[in-house]
Amino acid sequence: MPENNDQDIRIGVFICHCGSNIAGYLDMEALSDYAQTLPNVTFVQRNLYSCSEGGINEIKKGIKEQNLNRVVVASCTPRTHEPLFRSSCEEAGLNPYLFEMVNIRDQCSWVHMREQEDGTAKAKDLIRMGIAKAALLEPQESIMSEVCARALVIGGGIAGMTASTALARRGYEVVLVEKEENLGGMLNHLNKLGPTMTDAGDLMEEKIQEIVQHAKITVFTQSRVTAVQGFIGKFEADIETQSGVKKIDIGVILMATGGRAFVPEGLYGYDGQRVITQLEMEQLLKNGLNSDIKNVVMIQCVGSRNQERPYCSRICCQIAVKNAILIKDQIPDATISILYRDMQMYGVENEEMFRDSKAKGVRYIHYDPARSPQTESDQVRVYHSLLGREMALPADLVVLSTPIVAPEDADVTSQLLRVPVDENGFFLEGHVKLKPLDFATDGVFLCGSARFPANIREVIAQGLGAASRASIPMSKGSVVVEPIISVLADEDACRGCGLCVALCPYGALEIRHTEKGRKVHVIDVACKGCGVCAATCYQHALTINSYTDQQLEAQIDAFLIED
């Protein structure tokens, strides 16, 4: 590989039009002309779409024909396209880490749409800085680690059971841990599942039988995961069971802890008898309703879409409509009124169920949260915002639709696995679109209502999806990790103070005793290259590959250059 001196460095700059996303707002000709004047740049080319097959082939062609040993692509976000461009460089014979990406779409054209001159000037700055850093890039080698072909699934509800059977059918060992006495999760408390009106108990028994009869699945009930150490492929978990703590080696972890129904203590006169929740309504329907019940009022958004819980639980409306239909089936002459703020009935079949409920005589009354319904001993008063008057609705039974909330021990689990939760306590995926079933921590996956309230079909789909994601590293037998990680660049400077170990969010650092005393050791497979350790090391002993002090200083110096 060439040394870092001006004679050997040959940088190719590829500037992407991104259709009109960039070219519609920046002066592309000015950018390419400017790039040609910068140090170490030997080739500049503009592409309509650099990420297209044609654009990728142009990059490969440029590397080979121009003998390039550094590549800079000025286009969109590295988050989505950097892996593609790196692999293209590798296919052309160039080390993929001799590549630098400059984001002139998100940071220039999109935010300066009406300022072409200033946006173009900013793009020039970013390209100049990217080229300055590229000149100091060093080749890196990917890190490979073996993967244990055993999965840990935390949570024995429908999501966890679905994921477990999916993995077991692929031939992988599965350890399923459930804190309750029985598997099934919330299915144990449900009657029918809309919109198909499938019996929840039948579905649960079918899933449980699949679990207990499969030789590849080991089930621990009334058990908890109390400790997890390691990294993708080589986790070690402690499971506290009734017979003691069991230690197991696993390769991947699936989080399927589910959610729980909010109990509306102190709201609308809730007493669990005349004023109940939809979850308690499920049990009444399962046991058979008292025929004396003639008037039922359901109140939506109880305990949600407020200051304390601002989110919509999404599935409450579907449950209310389904239960209203089932009440009508048991007591055809019952009068059912649903007091709502907005009806969330997404999906063709849910909309059809909504229409069916109206055909059966279920009434829907819109209310304003500023004038919320008032429950009394035998009726519910509500201001009908469309009619512009208050109504008194007879009520033998009041049913409150409450949200699904995060598990009580979500914070404990979050710290245990070093995975984040959002402002509502639900577990936070790596990326809502790109990684909806992955955590940012490699090897840990997510499904079901632990992520956010979901109906039965969504939960099953997520369970299958998480199993599919988790099976990828196990099927390969090894994982390749990017080498852009923390490294101990100056062992003598390290004082072994442990500050970096305490701050690392991924548990990728540890203190070891060496011949030179206490020194930090980087667990390369676990490191994500976030830079927290390098930024806080007062001895400057740690650095990040491809983000060294010298490279960052070169970018700063390049920015400060006045044209």
Side-chain angles (χ1 to χ4, degrees), residues 218-276:
T218 302
V219 179
F220 294 105
T221 55
Q222 294 182 285
S223 304
R224 291 177 180 272
V225 177
T226 55
V228 176
Q229 296 177 331
F231 45 86
I232 181 172
K234 295 182 179 179
F235 289 109
E236 183 182 273
D238 290 355
I239 303 174
E240 185 179 315
T241 70
Q242 290 181 299
S243 58
V245 176
K246 298 184 181 296
K247 293 183 178 291
I248 58 168
D249 295 322
I250 48 179
V252 294
I253 300 171
L254 284 80
M255 177 71 67
T257 50
R260 57 190 173 90
F262 172 68
V263 180
E265 296 288 353
L267 298 176
Y268 295 99
Y270 170 74
D271 57 10
Q273 297 180 14
R274 177 178 166 270
V275 182
I276 63 174

Side-chain angles (χ1 to χ4, degrees), residues 329-453:
D329 289 343
Q330 290 192 23
I331 309 175
D333 60 344
T335 299
I336 305 173
S337 302
I338 297 181
L339 313 185
Y340 71 96
R341 290 172 59 180
D342 301 283
M343 291 303 295
Q344 180 74 279
M345 299 297 293
Y346 57 89
V348 174
E349 288 179 293
N350 286 326
E351 284 284 355
E352 186 64 33
M353 183 171 67
F354 187 33
R355 286 192 291 270
D356 288 346
S357 71
K358 291 182 177 180
K360 288 178 179 289
V362 178
R363 297 189 302 174
Y364 291 87
I365 300 172
H366 180 268
Y367 76 88
D368 186 337
R371 303 181 67 170
S372 59
Q374 302 295 316
T375 55
E376 299 177 358
S377 60
D378 59 352
Q379 64 183 7
V380 174
R381 290 189 175 275
V382 59
Y383 180 81
H384 198 307
S385 58
L386 296 178
L387 297 179
R389 62 181 177 85
E390 189 177 82
M391 300 178 64
L393 305 174
D396 303 316
L397 187 66
V398 178
V399 187
L400 308 180
S401 294
T402 61
I404 299 295
V405 296
E408 291 179 328
D409 56 354
D411 288 341
V412 175
T413 308
S414 170
Q415 295 175 11
L416 183 71
L417 298 179
R418 296 184 294 276
V419 294
V421 293
D422 65 15
E423 64 274 16
N424 299 310
F426 294 102
F427 290 101
L428 192 62
E429 67 278 320
H431 189 283
V432 68
K433 291 185 177 180
L434 303 178
K435 288 186 172 183
L437 301 175
D438 299 44
F439 281 109
T441 302
D442 288 337
V444 187
F445 304 89
L446 174 65
C447 59
S449 292
R451 174 180 176 269
F452 201 71

Side-chain angles (χ1 to χ4, degrees), residues 153 155 159-169 172 174-176 211 217 467:
V153 179
M161 291 192 293
T162 299
S164 297
T165 52
L167 286 168
R169 286 169 181 167
Y172 303 116
V174 178
V175 176
L176 176 59
I211 293 288
I217 302 175

Side-chain angles (χ1 to χ4, degrees), residues 48 54 97 150 153 191 351 382 452 547:
L48 181 61
Y97 299 98
R150 182 185 296 118
V153 179
N191 176 38
E351 284 284 355
V382 59
F452 201 71
Y547 290 91

Side-chain angles (χ1 to χ4, degrees), residues 541-554:
L542 290 162
T543 190
I544 305 296
N545 285 336
S546 294
Y547 290 91
T548 65
D549 289 349
Q550 293 81 3
Q551 291 163 355
L552 297 178
E553 287 169 2

